């Protein structure tokens, strides 16, 4: 066998090994089902719960966030309301309400699917607390499905922040979720976040595992 042929075969083998080492298919991810919740600015915290009020941690979440003891009522068109919606802390720069499509229909509003924090031009919503009420001209979204990863998890999966993947649910429903965004940060633990509608449709719950089947 000539030297050139050997070099060509060697390159092909090395390329194949590299592709296998970064193969992200079959990588398992635990599910976290996200119920409707509210993020509040400090200004709105004080309007809803009283001057000088500080949110009270109830349960620690990833990324420095926490579920709060505080809950509010959210109100849509024609005064349709959903009570006891959990507030998440700490306070943010802008108020944001995250709901599922079923909630949107109950409230009588049209809500866009967005990444958390992308609220420009989103749906209006009113929030009622024990001390007052806030009307937001925008800020209500349906959160786009996504996977949180630490840098170590991302390296193992062969993925990077901002990548999109498809994820399969191996049960009787056999559901595949496309357009799942990868979000990488040192403060994240491995978890795929979907809303209650998506979880119910696929018959999965928090703690179940899904598999990444392809990268977009």
């Amino acid at each position: 066998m000539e030297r050139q042929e050997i070099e060509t075969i060697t390159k092909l083998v090395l390329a194949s090994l590299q592709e296998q080492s970064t193969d992200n298919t079959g990588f398992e991810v635990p599910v976290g089902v996200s119920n409707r919740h509210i993020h509040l600015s400090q200004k709105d915290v004080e309007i809803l719960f009283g001057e000088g009020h500080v949110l009270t941690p109830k349960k620690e979440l990833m990324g420095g966030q926490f579920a709060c003891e505080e809950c509010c009522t959210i109100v849509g068109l024609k005064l349709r309301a959903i009570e006891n919606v959990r507030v998440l802390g700490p306070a943010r720069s802008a108020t944001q309400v995250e709901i599922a499509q079923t909630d949107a229909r109950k409230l009588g509003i049209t809500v866009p699917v967005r990444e958390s924090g992308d609220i420009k031009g989103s749906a209006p919503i009113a929030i009622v607390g024990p001390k007052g009420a806030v009307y937001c001209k925008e800020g209500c979204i349906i959160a786009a499905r996504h996977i949180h990863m630490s840098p170590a998890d991302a390296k193992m999966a062969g993925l990077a922040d901002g990548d999109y993947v498809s994820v399969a649910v191996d049960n009787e429903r056999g559901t595949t979720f496309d357009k799942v965004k990868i979000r990488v940060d040192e403060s994240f633990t491995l978890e795929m976040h979907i809303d209650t509608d998506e979880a119910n449709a696929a018959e999965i719950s928090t703690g179940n595992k899904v598999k990444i089947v392809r990268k977009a």
Side-chain angles (χ1 to χ4, degrees), residues 136-154:
C136 303
K137 293 182 180 179
E138 59 186 14
C140 187
I141 65 169
I142 296 170
R145 62 182 79 104
H146 56 277
I147 295 175
H148 289 285
M149 288 184 168
S150 67
D153 292 325

Side-chain angles (χ1 to χ4, degrees), residues 74 83 92 138 148 165 205 209:
I74 55 175
E83 299 178 330
R92 290 189 173 190
E138 59 186 14
H148 289 285
V165 297
S205 57
K209 289 187 177 181

Side-chain angles (χ1 to χ4, degrees), residues 70-137:
E70 291 84 357
C71 293
C72 293
T73 297
I74 55 175
V75 184
L77 299 178
K78 299 180 181 179
L79 299 181
R80 297 177 184 175
I82 298 176
E83 299 178 330
N84 298 316
V85 181
R86 183 73 58 187
V87 176
L88 299 190
R92 290 189 173 190
S93 58
T95 291
Q96 173 180 299
V97 179
E98 298 182 31
I99 63 176
Q101 184 62 251
T102 299
D103 299 327
R105 289 174 180 168
K106 181 175 181 179
L107 293 169
I109 54 178
T110 300
V111 183
V113 177
R114 297 278 185 86
E115 288 185 48
S116 181
D118 181 11
I119 62 173
K120 186 176 181 180
S122 58
I125 194 80
I127 307 169
V128 181
K131 299 292 185 179
V134 173
Y135 176 73
C136 303
K137 293 182 180 179

Side-chain angles (χ1 to χ4, degrees), residues 39-55:
H39 299 281
L40 294 171
S41 67
Q42 183 56 36
K43 177 184 176 181
D44 289 346
V45 168
E46 298 191 34
I47 292 172
L48 295 167
F49 297 100
E51 185 177 353
H53 186 87
V54 177
L55 293 173

Side-chain angles (χ1 to χ4, degrees), residues 175-189:
T175 309
T176 299
F177 293 106
D178 295 323
K179 298 181 180 179
V180 184
K181 188 172 185 177
I182 302 299
R183 295 169 60 180
V184 180
D185 191 90
E186 288 284 359
S187 64
F188 291 162
T189 54

